Amino acid sequence: MGRGQAGARHGGTDLAWAALGGDPALTERIAYGGPPGLLPARLPVMSLARSTVAVCALAAAELAARRNGGPVPAVRVDDGAVATAFLSERHLRVDGRACSSFAPLSRFWRTADGWVRTHANYAHHRARLLRALDLPETAGEAEAGAALSGRRAEEIEETVCAAGGLAVAARTPEEWRAHPQGAAVAAHPLLTLASLGDAPARRLPPPAGPPALPAAGLRVLDLTRVIAGPVATRTLALLGAEVLRIDPPQLPESQDAHSDTGFGKRSTALDLRSPAGRASFEELLSRADVVVTGYRPGALDRFGLSPEALAARRPGLVVARISAWGDDGPWGGRRGFDSVVQVATGIAAVEADAGSVPGDAEESGGGAMRSGTPGALPAQALDHGTGYLLAAAVLRALTEQSRTGGSYLATLALARTARWLMHDLADDGEPHPGPGAPGPQPEAPGADSYDPVHHLRETDSPLGRLRHALPPVSFDGAPATWATPPGRCGTDAPLWR
């Protein structure tokens, strides 16, 4: 690819790399390629995907150079590989079986004044949603629809949230900017990477063989769920880290979700409410280099797992934290997933079906779409993009630690990534229609030259024969795929190798 085309695609990468505190000259090490027109949308989704993968690969290359000596390896970003990876959960097959995605009660619903989106993929979230609607546990879509149709969207939002469930009123971008949580999100950058305290400069383990993978010899505790956090730790596993995922036994993760994001990892179940579980965790922490968390801000504090408490017990630790809405504002402690963040922030309104009409705030009570159907991005792009940014932040922190020491905290939120997509990213030369234009046509540019099969592989695993997306993170010396396939959730011993 010529320099002109590469330069045209640099904008999002430069913004993300600057947010990570990287040397701006290093972005010249990146080359871009692949078919155009993938992940078509009104918003610049492909730019987000390309940029987040690019900075993750560059951060890995930078750490590899720091560890092995020599210049930063050349980085390659292929749009086909990126687009396929951003749809990894849809491409996954287990012995030919397509894996589950959204449950029947995870969808848009018409309300008295607009639209609301619920999320009920987990059994406990489904139960809380039905209780909030005064419905029996056996209720289905028809009963839920009838209960929701006569109520106002924001009233549903608050009632379900108070019951510990997930329901979000569809808002326009203007309504989100005026919302207190929208204002709180707007007050922060895309991500923060800050010091958590003093510690000696990190001595990276000596290479097992030339060249060493960037994260080889490092130990990562993975306390994340669903897509964003697991994508980050899946990437760190690709780059050589020993990753141990920890789930509470009373809230097991979906095996299908883990089959997508569990590559390269081991998985254990620990009850942090029990003395034995806490003791096992403390033993693991005493030898960990990185802890990644994906629970609501404050949810882990009662177990002594706030970033400050972790760094106090393990100086030199890198803590990476991801949430839906951010650490502050009225929604700072709320649950959230990519699909409902899209709805709250106005993405669903921008991506709505042609003919949808944004609701008048005064008439609808700040809600949603009066007609038509709210839309969605062509991928869970907030999740995947934030996951690659999270991995990049960990890698950059490790590089900085090797120079200056210290403990580090990386903080990201899906809502911050949504704001970046809607307000800061240009299309980087990508031919998407733009906000307010008719939706993308079925035959997007580049569709004839793109076949995801080129970026898929079949692998035998304890779960059966897996068809899965290959990693999009590529630089000179990067592995082609993960060292091990995923296993069954929660079945590994809570021990480092």
Side-chain angles (χ1 to χ4, degrees):
M1 176 178 294
R3 297 290 298 171
Q5 190 173 355
R9 294 186 175 188
H10 250 221
T13 302
D14 290 340
L15 288 172
W17 189 244
L20 289 161
D23 177 358
L26 289 181
T27 58
E28 295 302 316
R29 303 294 297 164
I30 305 172
Y32 300 83
L38 305 182
L39 301 181
R42 293 186 174 111
L43 292 167
V45 176
M46 193 64 222
S47 176
L48 178 148
R50 180 189 304 117
S51 301
T52 55
V53 169
V55 295
C56 185
L58 185 58
E62 180 191 35
L63 183 58
R66 180 71 180 170
R67 183 167 191 170
N68 296 309
V72 173
V75 171
R76 297 176 299 278
V77 180
D78 181 276
D79 279 9
V82 171
T84 305
F86 266 59
L87 294 168
S88 62
E89 66 275 11
R90 301 187 201 175
H91 289 298
L92 183 70
R93 299 291 184 273
V94 181
D95 287 334
R97 174 183 65 85
C99 294
S100 60
S101 54
F102 287 103
L105 297 187
S106 295
R107 48 164 285 189
F108 285 107
W109 308 87
R110 284 303 297 255
T111 67
D113 61 339
W115 293 89
V116 71
R117 176 138 192 170
T118 55
H119 193 289
N121 285 4
Y122 287 111
H124 57 290
H125 289 157
R126 181 183 187 278
R128 292 168 186 172
L129 171 65
L130 293 175
R131 281 200 300 271
L133 300 178
D134 295 322
L135 294 174
E137 290 190 8
T138 56
E141 292 179 83
E143 294 91 341
L148 292 164
S149 63
R151 302 169 69 171
R152 296 170 67 84
E154 289 193 7
E155 184 259 323
I156 296 167
E157 178 180 88
E158 293 304 318
T159 300
V160 174
C161 177
L166 289 109
V168 172
R171 291 174 170 83
T172 65
E174 295 74 21
E175 288 167 339
W176 179 245
R177 282 196 295 270
H179 191 278
Q181 189 60 39
V185 170
H188 293 281
L190 171 63
L191 60 90
T192 58
L193 185 58
S195 172
L196 258 183
D198 295 332
R202 176 181 295 277
R203 286 193 164 188
L204 295 170
L213 291 175
L218 299 172
R219 297 185 175 99
V220 178
L221 288 175
D222 177 2
L223 284 76
T224 69
R225 296 173 76 82
V226 196
I227 297 178
V231 163
T233 50
R234 181 181 70 182
T235 303
L236 296 174
L238 170 76
L239 299 171
E242 180 181 355
V243 178
L244 181 62
R245 173 172 173 143
I246 298 175
D247 283 291
Q250 70 274 18
L251 295 175
E253 178 60 290
S254 156
Q255 181 60 56
D256 280 353
H258 185 62
S259 298
D260 175 42
T261 58
F263 283 88
K265 309 177 191 179
R266 289 181 302 123
S267 167
T268 193
L270 278 183
D271 188 350
L272 297 181
R273 301 170 303 180
S274 72
R278 292 291 299 278
S280 293
F281 181 86
E282 290 303 316
E283 175 59 28
L284 292 167
L285 177 65
S286 71
R287 299 173 61 200
D289 301 290
V290 178
V291 175
V292 185
T293 68
Y295 292 80
R296 292 174 295 131
L300 298 175
D301 291 5
R302 67 184 184 277
F303 303 116
L305 303 185
S306 69
E308 295 76 14
L310 290 167
R313 299 201 300 280
R314 177 67 169 156
L317 192 69
V318 173
V319 181
R321 182 170 59 176
I322 185 172
S323 64
W325 308 106
D327 292 346
D328 56 3
W331 289 13
R334 289 194 180 187
R335 299 167 177 84
F337 296 95
D338 182 309
S339 58
V340 294
V341 173
Q342 288 189 38
V343 172
T345 59
I347 289 173
V350 173
E351 298 291 341
D353 288 347
S356 293
V357 180
D360 178 79
E362 185 174 315
E363 175 185 324
S364 66
M369 314 298 294
R370 287 201 311 266
S371 61
T373 303
L377 299 177
Q380 299 284 287
L382 304 181
D383 262 332
H384 285 272
T386 308
Y388 288 110
L389 288 174
L390 188 66
V394 169
L395 296 165
R396 286 247 60 248
L398 293 168
T399 296
E400 293 302 323
Q401 278 188 329
S402 71
R403 295 169 176 152
T404 63
S407 301
Y408 278 83
L409 171 62
T411 305
L412 296 90
L414 300 184
R416 293 192 198 178
T417 304
R419 178 175 172 78
W420 190 56
L421 171 66
M422 296 184 72
H423 299 287
D424 298 325
L425 277 180
D427 65 8
D428 284 0
E430 196 64 24
H432 70 87
Q441 298 302 308
E443 292 299 324
D448 292 339
S449 60
Y450 167 67
D451 187 341
V453 73
H454 299 309
H455 309 288
L456 300 172
R457 176 173 291 184
E458 291 198 352
T459 301
D460 289 320
S461 80
L463 309 166
R465 185 76 169 172
L466 302 183
R467 189 194 77 175
H468 61 93
L470 289 168
V473 173
S474 178
F475 58 93
D476 290 349
T481 190
W482 292 270
T484 59
R488 298 200 175 276
C489 274
T491 56
D492 292 302
L495 301 169
W496 296 118
R497 290 195 187 100

